[in-house]
C-alpha cells in the first residue's frame, strides 16, 4: 500500500511539473524583418514585449465541423454493407496562450537576429513580473 501511495505521489509530481515548464520560442525566420531599419526593429520588439507584458490572448477560433459520408464494414452477424455516416468534430484547438506566447517569443528572437545581422543596437527588455 505504501508503494502505491509513493507511486501515486511521483506521478502527480511529474504531471504538475510538466505543466510548469517554461515556454520555448518557436522558430520564426529573421528574413521577414530584413527590410526594417534599426528603429523599426526596436519598435517591433517593444510592441511584442508590451503585448506579452499585458497578457497574451489566444486567438479566437471555433472548432466545430460536420461531415457526411458513406461508410462500410463487416456487420456483427457475418455480413457486410454500406451505410450513411455523420461525423461531428469538436476537437481541441492548438491555439492556446502557450502556443501564442511561443510564437511571439520566436518573433522576438528573429528580430534580435535581424538586428545583429544589420549591426543595429537593440535593447532587449526582460519580461516584467506581475
Amino acid at each position: 500500500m505504501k508503494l502505491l501511495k509513493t507511486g501515486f505521489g511521483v506521478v502527480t509530481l511529474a504531471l504538475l511539473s510538466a505543466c510548469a515548464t517554461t515556454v520555448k520560442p518557436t522558430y520564426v525566420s529573421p528574413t521577414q524583418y530584413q527590410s526594417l531599419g534599426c528603429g523599426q526593429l526596436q519598435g517591433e520588439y517593444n510592441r511584442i514585449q508590451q503585448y506579452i507584458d499585458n497578457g497574451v490572448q489566444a486567438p479566437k477560433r471555433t472548432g466545430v465541423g460536420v461531415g457526411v459520408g458513406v461508410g462500410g464494414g463487416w456487420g456483427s452477424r457475418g455480413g457486410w454493407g454500406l451505410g450513411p455516416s455523420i461525423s461531428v468534430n469538436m476537437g481541441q484547438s492548438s491555439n492556446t496562450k502557450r502556443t501564442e506566447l511561443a510564437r511571439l517569443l520566436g518573433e522576438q528572437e528573429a528580430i534580435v537576429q535581424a538586428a545583429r545581422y544589420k549591426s543595429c543596437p537593440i535593447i532587449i527588455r526582460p519580461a516584467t513580473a506581475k
Side-chain angles (χ1 to χ4, degrees):
M1 187 68 165
K2 185 174 183 177
L3 181 64
L4 182 64
K5 287 183 181 180
T6 305
F8 180 72
V10 168
V11 169
T12 302
L13 183 63
L15 289 174
L16 290 176
S17 66
C19 295
T21 58
T22 59
V23 177
K24 295 182 179 148
T26 58
Y27 176 75
V28 175
S29 175
T31 57
Q32 66 183 350
Y33 298 105
Q34 292 293 324
S35 63
L36 300 180
C38 293
Q40 291 171 320
L41 288 170
Q42 184 66 56
E44 187 68 12
Y45 183 91
N46 292 343
R47 182 190 66 78
I48 293 172
Q49 188 61 46
Q50 184 178 14
Y51 181 58
I52 291 171
D53 291 344
N54 290 336
V56 176
Q57 298 295 322
K60 304 281 187 239
R61 278 198 181 170
T62 58
V64 178
V66 177
V68 179
V70 177
W74 294 100
S76 61
R77 297 185 183 158
W80 67 276
L82 296 174
S85 67
I86 297 176
S87 172
V88 178
N89 179 13
M90 295 179 68
Q92 181 177 356
S93 172
S94 64
N95 292 334
T96 63
K97 287 185 180 184
R98 290 176 63 90
T99 57
E100 180 71 7
L101 180 60
R103 184 186 63 79
L104 291 170
L105 292 174
E107 286 182 10
Q108 280 188 324
E109 278 190 6
I111 291 170
V112 170
Q113 288 176 3
R116 286 184 183 147
Y117 179 77
K118 292 182 154 207
S119 300
C120 294
I122 190 161
I123 301 169
I124 299 172
R125 297 185 310 147
T128 58
K130 281 195 168 188

